[in-house]
C-alpha cells in the first residue's frame, strides 16, 4: 500500500464525508482528492520526476494537506518545513535535498524568488494564499490557478512502497538538520500500528494543533485519512480557549498533545467547555510529569490517556496501555504492535530489568536513514541479526522493569526538549556565533514548568554595543520560535576544559 | 473610561510586543491590523506573555476563555478588547 492511497480509499468509500476541517473550510474526501489530483498533474507538468523532492513551507492549512498528498501522487517525496522556519534553514534544506519545487505562502515570495535564482535544482515555486504582491518569475504558479486549470482525475501510479514518501528534517547534535528518509512502507506500517493501539474508528474526530512539519502532527493527518475519520486542523495552540471551543463544537474524540500544552490546559478553568466527546488523549515528545498525569486523570476521568515515546527515526516506538497508567505513571510503556525493543549496553549485550542502557528498536517502522549522510546513518542505523536488516539505536538511555515496561532515563547526546520540540544547542550556538561581536556562546536547557526545558544561552561579547535584545533579535530573525533562547546571559568568560573547549556542565 | 487614551493603549501594546517579543529597537514593524496568527508575529508563548503584560499593565483581569483570536490576534483587536474591559470595569 502507498501512503496517498489512504486518501484515495477514503474518497472511494466515503466521498461525501468531511475529511478535513480547517478554519472555515470543511472539505470532503472527494474534494480533497480532486484538489490533490489537480496539483499532482501540475507538478508532473513542471517535470517532477519519480523520487524528486518538493519542499512544503506552509502553515497548517488545507493547501498543505492537499500538497502532501499531491506530491506523493505525482511520485515525488514531500519535505514539510515549519512555517516559522527562517530563510537560512529553508535554503539549507532546499539545497540539501536538491528540491525541484517549493510550495509556500506568497508572503515568502522574496525568499522564494532568491532561492529560484540561487539553487540549480529548484525549477518551480507554487504560491498558496496569500498570493505575492508581485509575481515576477515565469517559474512561479499559484495554487488557486492550478486548481482551476488542471484535471481532477487520478494520476497514474508510479511508485512502489519501497520508494521514498517523505523527508522529515530533525535536529541533530551537529547543529545541522538531517532529513530522515521514510519510504511508503515505513509510514503505512507505523500508521497501522498506532491506529491499532489507539483503536481508531471511522467515527473518530481528531484535533491537530501540532505543525504538520513535526512528525507527530503529520501522523495525525495520515492516520485519520487512513481510518477515514475527520481531522480538525488548527494553526497552533496559541489560543487554547479557541481549541477547547473547537473540541466542544466539533465533538472531537482524539486530542494529541505535548507536555507544554497539557501544562497550559491544567492551569485553565475548563468548566466553560463541554469536553465530554473526548475518547482519548495522547502525549509524546517528552515525558509527562507524574503530577500532570494525575491531574489529567482527575480532569478527564473517562478519557483514555496514552503516554508515548518516539523519535523521527522510527516514528513512534513505545506506548503505555492506558490501563497501566495508574500502576506505572513513570513508564512510557512497551513496543508498539508488530515491533520489538530492548536495552543494550555499550558492548552490545542485552540488559535485564533495572539496568540502564541504550534503547534499540527493531521493526518495519525503522526508517531508511538520513538523506545524503551515510556517516550519520551508519551511526544511528546498524546491522541487525538477520542479513540486510537494520535496527535503530535511539541515543536515549532507558531501563526496564520486571514486567518489561520501559522508563526513559536520559539522552546520550545534549539535545534539549523544549515545548516538545528537539533543540540542538549547536544549531542555536551557530546562529549566535554568526553575529558580529559574539566571541563565545554556549546553550543549555534549564527546567521550566511549562516548556519542560527552556533554552538558555550564555554569550561572551566583544564591546558594549551589543545588548541582550540585539542578540535575541538576531536569534529571532534566524531561528524558528522554539529555538530562540528564553533566557540570555552576557558573561565576561565561559568555563573551559583543559584543552580550551567550552564546558557547559557547570552552567545553570 | 480610564485615563488611557486609545492611542496610548495601542502604543503600550505595540511597545511591549516590539521590545519583549520581537526584541526590536525600531518599534513595532507591522500594521495594527496584522494578524499575529497568520504572520507568526507573536507565537503561542508570546500570546501568554502578552496576556500577563496586559493584566499587569492595565490592571484588568483576563479570563481564560477570553484569550481567543477575536480579542488577541492583532494590535487593533487587543486595543479594542482592553478598552471594552476598562469600560465594563468602570
Amino acid at each position: 500500500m502507498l501512503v496517498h492511497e489512504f486518501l484515495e480509499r477514503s474518497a472511494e468509500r466515503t466521498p461525501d464525508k468531511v475529511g478535513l476541517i480547517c478554519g472555515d473550510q470543511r472539505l470532503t474526501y472527494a474534494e480533497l482528492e480532486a484538489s490533490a489530483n489537480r496539483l499532482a498533474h501540475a507538478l508532473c507538468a513542471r517535470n517532477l520526476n519519480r523520487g524528486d523532492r518538493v519542499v512544503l513551507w506552509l502553515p497548517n492549512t488545507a493547501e498543505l494537506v492537499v500538497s502532501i498528498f499531491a506530491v506523493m501522487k505525482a511520485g515525488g517525496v514531500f519535505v514539510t518545513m515549519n512555517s516559522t522556519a527562517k530563510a537560512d534553514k529553508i535554503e539549507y534544506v532546499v539545497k540539501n535535498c536538491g528540491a525541484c519545487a517549493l510550495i509556500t505562502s506568497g508572503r515568502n515570495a522574496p525568499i522564494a524568488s532568491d532561492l529560484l535564482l540561487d539553487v540549480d535544482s529548484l525549477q518551480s515555486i507554487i504560491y498558496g494564499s496569500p498570493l505575492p504582491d508581485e509575481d515576477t518569475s515565469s517559474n512561479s504558479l499559484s495554487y488557486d490557478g492550478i486548481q482551476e486549470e488542471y484535471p481532477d482525475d487520478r494520476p497514474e501510479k508510479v511508485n512502489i512502497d519501497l520508494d521514498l514518501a517523505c523527508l522529515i528534517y530533525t535536529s541533530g547534535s551537529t547543529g545541522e538538520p538531517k532529513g530522515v528518509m521514510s519510504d511508503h512502507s515505513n509510514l503505512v506500517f507505523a500508521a497501522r500500528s498506532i491506529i491499532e493501539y489507539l483503536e481508531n474508528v471511522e467515527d473518530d474526530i481528531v484535533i491537530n494543533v501540532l505543525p504538520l512539519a513535526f512528525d507527530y502532527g503529520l501522523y495525525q493527518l495520515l492516520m485519520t485519512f487512513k481510518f477515514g475519520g475527520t481531522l480538525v486542523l488548527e494553526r497552533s495552540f496559541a489560543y487554547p480557549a479557541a481549541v477547547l471551543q473547537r473540541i466542544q463544537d466539533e465533538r472531537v474524540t482524539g486530542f494529541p498533545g505535548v507536555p507544554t500544552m497539557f501544562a497550559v490546559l491544567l492551569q485553565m478553568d475548563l468548566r466553560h467547555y463541554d469536553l465530554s466527546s473526548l475518547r482519548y488523549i495522547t502525549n509524546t515528545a517528552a515525558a509527562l510529569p507524574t503530577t500532570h498525569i494525575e491531574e489529567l486523570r482527575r480532569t478527564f476521568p473517562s478519557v483514555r490517556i496514552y503516554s508515548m515515546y518516539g523519535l523521527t527515526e522510527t516514528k513512534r516506538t513505545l506506548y503505555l496501555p492506558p490501563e497501566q497508567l495508574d500502576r506505572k505513571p513513570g513508564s512510557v510503556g512497551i513496543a508498539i504492535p508488530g515491533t520489538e525493543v530492548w536495552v543494550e549496553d555499550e558492548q552490545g549485550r542485552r540488559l535485564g530489568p533495572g539496568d540502564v542502557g541504550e534503547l534499540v528498536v527493531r521493526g518495519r517502522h525503522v526508517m531508511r536513514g538520513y538523506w545524503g549522510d551515510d556517516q550519520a546513518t551508519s551511526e544511528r542505523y546498524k546491522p541487525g541479526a538477520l542479513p540486510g536488516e537494520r535496527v535503530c539505536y535511539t541515543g536515549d538511555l532507558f531501563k526496564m522493569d520486571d514486567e518489561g515496561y520501559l522508563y526513559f532515563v536520559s539522552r546520550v547526546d545534549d539535545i534539549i526538549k523544549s515545548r516538545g520540540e528537539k533543540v540542538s544547542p549547536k544549531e542555536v550556538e551557530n546562529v549566535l556565533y554568526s553575529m558580529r561581536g559574539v566571541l563565545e556562546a554556549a546553550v543549555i536547557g534549564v527546567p521550566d514548568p511549562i516548556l519542560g526545558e527552556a533554552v538558555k544561552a550564555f554569550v561572551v561579547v566583544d564591546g558594549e554595543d551589543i545588548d541582550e535584545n540585539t542578540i535575541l533579535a538576531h536569534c529571532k530573525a534566524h531561528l524558528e520560535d522554539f529555538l530562540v533562547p528564553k533566557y540570555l546571559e552576557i558573561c565576561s568568560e565561559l568555563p573551559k576544559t583543559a584543552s580550551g573547549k567550552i564546558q557547559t556542565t557547570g552552567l545553570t | 473610561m480610564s485615563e488611557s487614551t486609545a492611542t496610548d493603549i495601542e502604543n503600550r501594546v505595540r511597545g511591549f510586543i516590539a521590545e519583549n517579543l520581537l526584541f526590536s529597537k525600531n518599534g513595532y514593524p507591522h500594521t495594527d491590523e496584522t494578524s499575529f496568527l497568520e504572520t507568526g508575529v507573536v507565537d503561542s508563548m508570546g500570546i501568554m506573555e502578552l496576556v500577563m503584560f496586559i493584566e499587569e499593565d492595565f490592571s484588568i483581569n483576563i479570563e481564560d476563555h477570553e484569550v481567543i483570536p477575536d480579542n488577541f490576534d492583532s494590535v487593533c483587536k487587543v486595543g479594542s478588547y482592553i478598552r471594552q474591559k476598562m469600560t465594563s470595569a468602570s
Side-chain angles (χ1 to χ4, degrees):
Chain A
M1 189 179 192
L2 302 171
V3 178
H4 46 284
E5 288 173 339
F6 294 173
L7 170 59
E8 293 174 355
R9 290 190 186 180
S10 288
E12 286 163 9
R13 206 172 54 243
T14 54
D16 299 326
K17 177 172 178 172
V18 171
L20 180 71
I21 299 170
C22 188
D24 298 331
Q25 294 173 285
R26 304 179 81 83
L27 298 169
T28 64
Y29 276 113
E31 289 169 329
L32 289 160
E33 217 238 297
S35 294
N37 289 343
R38 292 187 196 106
L39 180 52
H41 283 300
L43 289 166
C44 292
R46 303 291 301 180
N47 298 322
L48 181 140
N49 292 309
R50 184 176 177 182
D52 281 351
R53 280 75 56 209
V54 179
V55 171
L56 311 177
W57 183 25
L58 291 164
N60 281 3
T61 54
E63 290 170 349
L64 176 54
V65 169
V66 167
S67 299
I68 287 170
F69 285 93
V71 173
M72 291 188 287
K73 278 172 173 279
V77 179
F78 68 89
V79 185
T80 46
M81 292 302 296
N82 199 317
S83 64
T84 71
K86 301 300 187 291
D88 307 356
K89 191 158 186 171
I90 299 300
E91 182 179 354
Y92 173 84
V93 167
V94 166
K95 284 181 176 167
N96 181 263
C97 72
C100 72
L102 169 67
I103 305 181
T104 189
S105 147
R107 281 197 191 90
N108 297 321
I111 299 167
S113 318
D114 286 349
L115 287 173
L116 203 51
L117 293 173
D118 294 346
V119 185
D120 289 343
S121 67
L122 196 60
Q123 299 299 313
S124 312
I125 308 283
I126 296 172
Y127 290 117
S129 58
L131 287 175
D133 296 333
E134 272 183 54
D135 186 9
T136 52
S137 167
S138 60
N139 289 327
S140 64
L141 302 96
S142 88
Y143 178 92
D144 288 344
I146 286 168
Q147 293 300 323
E148 284 170 20
E149 194 179 331
Y150 286 87
D152 66 1
D153 60 310
R154 200 176 279 175
E156 200 179 321
K157 275 190 180 52
V158 290
N159 281 337
I160 63 167
D161 71 359
L162 290 174
D163 286 311
L164 294 186
C166 68
L167 302 181
I168 299 177
Y169 276 80
T170 179
S171 293
S173 51
T174 58
E176 286 180 339
K178 296 196 289 282
V180 176
M181 300 184 284
S182 304
D183 69 29
H184 284 263
S185 72
N186 296 142
L187 297 186
V188 171
F189 175 85
R192 187 178 288 147
S193 178
I194 301 167
I195 288 169
E196 182 181 328
Y197 73 73
L198 292 177
E199 301 172 32
N200 284 120
V201 291
E202 214 170 80
D203 289 338
D204 272 327
I205 300 167
V206 179
I207 192 161
N208 179 50
V209 305
L210 306 157
L212 295 182
F214 181 24
D215 63 345
Y216 187 24
L218 175 65
Y219 270 71
Q220 305 309 322
L221 166 66
L222 302 183
M223 287 157 49
T224 304
F225 280 18
K226 184 174 191 314
F227 63 75
T230 300
L231 185 77
V232 181
L233 185 62
E234 296 288 302
R235 283 287 178 105
S236 73
F237 195 60
Y239 301 97
V243 172
L244 291 169
Q245 189 64 46
R246 203 69 149 157
I247 292 174
Q248 173 181 306
D249 294 347
E250 300 295 347
R251 304 293 297 155
V252 164
T253 60
F255 181 25
V258 296
T260 299
M261 287 165 48
F262 296 120
V264 170
L265 278 186
L266 289 171
Q267 289 179 351
M268 293 176 67
D269 182 358
L270 302 179
R271 287 172 303 174
H272 289 278
Y273 309 95
D274 172 8
L275 306 175
S276 59
S277 58
L278 279 179
R279 181 175 73 75
Y280 71 89
I281 285 173
T282 61
N283 176 72
T284 190
L288 269 178
T290 310
T291 50
H292 286 182
I293 291 177
E294 288 164 2
E295 281 182 62
L296 279 172
R297 295 279 291 133
R298 270 198 299 276
T299 310
F300 301 103
S302 57
V303 174
R304 288 166 74 78
I305 298 170
Y306 290 85
S307 271
M308 313 185 301
Y309 160 87
L311 64 167
T312 307
E313 287 81 350
T314 64
K315 176 50 206 152
R316 185 68 37 72
T317 309
L318 307 171
Y319 81 106
L320 183 67
E323 53 277 12
Q324 297 293 335
L325 190 62
D326 292 337
R327 282 183 68 223
K328 299 174 184 289
S331 171
V332 279
I334 52 176
I336 65 171
T339 72
E340 70 171 316
V341 298
W342 61 89
V343 178
E344 203 174 284
D345 69 10
E346 286 172 355
Q347 283 71 46
R349 289 176 299 223
R350 291 196 187 201
L351 299 173
D355 293 332
V356 175
E358 185 171 1
L359 187 75
V360 186
V361 187
R362 177 171 185 249
R364 292 197 179 278
H365 59 334
V366 170
M367 303 299 175
R368 297 285 292 269
Y370 299 112
W371 178 266
D373 195 337
D374 292 342
Q375 189 186 337
T377 300
S378 63
E379 287 167 9
R380 176 75 71 189
Y381 300 94
K382 297 178 184 172
L386 295 176
E389 186 190 16
R390 288 172 318 121
V391 294
C392 177
Y393 282 72
T394 61
D396 286 340
L397 298 178
F398 273 76
K399 66 180 177 185
M400 191 169 64
D401 68 15
D402 293 337
E403 293 174 279
Y405 284 83
L406 289 144
Y407 298 76
F408 176 81
V409 177
S410 66
R411 294 190 62 91
V412 172
D413 58 27
D414 58 357
I415 294 284
I416 300 164
K417 276 286 181 84
S418 185
R419 305 189 201 183
E421 305 261 13
K422 277 167 81 176
V423 176
S424 158
K426 188 83 177 149
E427 185 174 355
V428 183
E429 286 162 10
N430 287 346
V431 165
L432 289 166
Y433 276 116
S434 72
M435 188 176 178
R436 192 184 304 181
V438 169
L439 300 178
E440 292 178 357
V443 170
I444 62 165
V446 293
D448 184 283
I450 299 289
L451 304 175
E453 282 184 293
V455 179
K456 182 169 183 180
F458 299 84
V459 180
V460 178
V461 297
D462 179 18
E464 289 176 1
D465 55 336
I466 302 179
D467 61 11
E468 286 180 19
N469 270 13
T470 316
I471 300 171
L472 288 170
H474 173 81
C475 290
K476 181 112 183 138
H478 293 89
L479 292 167
E480 284 142 279
D481 294 334
F482 63 91
L483 294 167
V484 176
K486 183 175 178 187
Y487 305 109
L488 188 126
E489 205 171 301
I490 295 180
C491 322
S492 55
E493 60 178 334
L494 289 173
K496 311 263 181 7
T497 61
S499 60
K501 200 178 160 202
I502 293 171
Q503 197 170 25
T504 55
T505 39
L507 297 171
T508 54
Chain B
M1 189 85 185
S2 85
E3 298 154 8
S4 298
T5 63
T7 321
D8 179 41
I9 291 174
E10 272 83 4
N11 274 343
R12 280 151 73 184
V13 172
R14 276 189 228 109
F16 173 80
I17 297 173
E19 191 172 335
N20 297 281
L21 304 180
L22 305 178
F23 316 110
S24 161
K25 284 181 175 165
N26 306 316
Y28 183 71
H30 305 281
T31 69
D32 284 359
E33 287 74 31
T34 300
S35 159
F36 299 156
L37 201 59
E38 290 279 330
T39 57
V41 172
V42 181
D43 69 0
S44 53
M45 292 302 139
I47 297 288
M48 286 168 68
E49 289 182 46
L50 181 61
V51 167
M52 286 191 282
F53 160 75
I54 294 168
E55 283 194 313
E56 202 169 301
D57 207 57
F58 293 89
S59 302
I60 56 178
N61 180 38
I62 300 173
E63 302 287 343
D64 291 337
H65 65 269
E66 294 174 333
V67 187
I68 53 175
D70 280 350
N71 295 334
F72 280 86
D73 195 39
S74 65
V75 170
C76 224
K77 287 178 177 173
V78 173
S80 305
Y81 169 77
I82 294 172
R83 267 191 296 286
Q84 191 189 324
K85 289 289 280 191
M86 290 171 112
T87 308
S88 61
S90 60

